[in-house]
Amino acid sequence: TYVSLDNTIKSKDVVSDKVSEVSSVSEETSASSEEISASSEEMLANSEEVSRYALELNKVAVKLNDEVNKFKL
């Protein structure tokens, strides 16, 4: 019975260690997911800003083209 009890305790320790490892990996995965989400949001905001600048640049280009056309003979 001592051997059986000792084996049970060792098994419990192994299971406990594995549960701790799984928990640690889960926390790391969660942190990584949060970082990816934040990066995605930042990229979206940057893309929207670039889009706004592109629209403004297009408006300026159209105005410039209109002004240049005034000088054509």
Side-chain angles (χ1 to χ4, degrees):
T1 59
Y2 175 76
V3 172
S4 177
L5 181 60
D6 188 50
N7 286 339
T8 302
I9 291 171
K10 287 179 182 176
S11 295
K12 177 200 66 87
D13 290 342
V14 168
V15 169
S16 179
D17 288 347
K18 295 303 178 185
V19 168
S20 292
E21 288 176 20
V22 168
S23 178
S24 178
V25 168
S26 177
E27 288 175 9
E28 291 173 10
T29 301
S30 177
S32 295
S33 295
E34 289 176 13
E35 289 176 16
I36 290 169
S37 177
S39 294
S40 296
E41 289 175 14
E42 185 177 349
M43 288 176 63
L44 177 61
N46 289 337
S47 294
E48 290 171 349
E49 186 175 11
V50 167
S51 179
R52 284 193 305 272
Y53 286 136
L55 289 173
E56 286 299 316
L57 181 59
N58 187 49
K59 289 176 186 177
V60 170
V62 168
K63 288 180 183 178
L64 179 60
N65 191 43
D66 290 345
E67 294 299 319
V68 168
N69 283 334
K70 290 180 184 177
F71 293 101
K72 289 186 179 178
L73 296 176

